[in-house]
Amino acid sequence: MIHYSRGAGDVMQVAIKKLKPSAVVPAYGSLYSAGADLYACVESGIDILPGETVFVPTGVALEIPIGFAGFVFARSGLSCKRGLAPANKVGVIDSDYRGEVMVALHNHSSVPQTVAAGERIAQMVIMPYIKAEFVEQENLSETVRGEGGFGSTGTK
């Protein structure tokens, strides 16, 4: 069931299923947080060695409304202080996915890190998206930038 509009204080309801009794429902850290925290649903800590990626279960499955997706981002404290961030940089949870939400955490630090049971491991933002229809063309419109790539639009 979707209840959504763009007025102040409006909220979209997203159905969630706890797959394990110890799972924690995603929660916002403050009134104006864009991302809801995702929590590790493990019986004991998970060790992640330097340079290693480990799939950390959350114990929850979601029913994200059609036209929206869940985007999984790093938590700033976890990534900046401990070097743990999603391996794919931004995870995407499609509206037709009903399996357990997993976070692929990568240890960018030079020391082993332990993720504790119930620890906040990432944040999820529910956002709308626009589906594109890709139409093959012989030519594309001209722009000032043209084919200028990486670093072509700015200098110090």
Side-chain angles (χ1 to χ4, degrees):
M1 172 177 272
I2 304 169
H3 297 287
Y4 176 73
S5 65
R6 292 192 178 261
D10 288 332
V11 175
M12 171 190 292
Q13 292 184 347
V14 174
I16 188 164
K17 180 179 181 180
K18 289 175 77 170
L19 304 173
K20 301 170 188 164
S22 61
V24 178
V25 173
Y28 294 96
S30 72
L31 181 62
Y32 297 109
S33 294
D37 290 323
L38 296 174
Y39 299 82
C41 185
V42 294
E43 291 188 26
S44 60
I46 294 178
D47 294 324
I48 306 175
L49 300 175
E52 183 179 40
T53 298
V54 173
F55 285 92
V56 181
T58 65
V60 298
L62 304 169
E63 187 175 326
I64 297 172
I66 295 170
F68 294 83
F71 295 88
V72 179
F73 297 99
R75 292 194 70 253
S76 58
L78 196 64
S79 63
C80 295
K81 295 177 183 175
R82 295 179 46 204
L84 294 175
N88 52 347
K89 306 306 178 206
V90 178
V92 178
I93 305 168
D94 296 311
S95 63
D96 59 349
Y97 177 66
R98 294 296 184 268
E100 181 174 14
V101 174
M102 304 286 280
V103 177
L105 276 185
H106 182 79
N107 183 352
H108 294 277
S109 79
S110 59
V111 297
Q113 297 289 336
T114 300
V115 174
E119 183 172 355
R120 296 175 295 169
I121 55 171
Q123 59 182 321
M124 177 182 58
V125 179
I126 304 292
M127 293 187 281
Y129 64 88
I130 296 173
K131 192 113 179 190
E133 177 183 354
F134 297 97
V135 180
E136 190 172 349
Q137 302 289 317
E138 287 293 320
N139 297 300
L140 301 177
S141 63
E142 297 289 327
T143 66
V144 173
R145 181 177 180 173
E147 295 182 13
F150 297 101
S152 67
T153 62
T155 59
K156 287 188 175 186

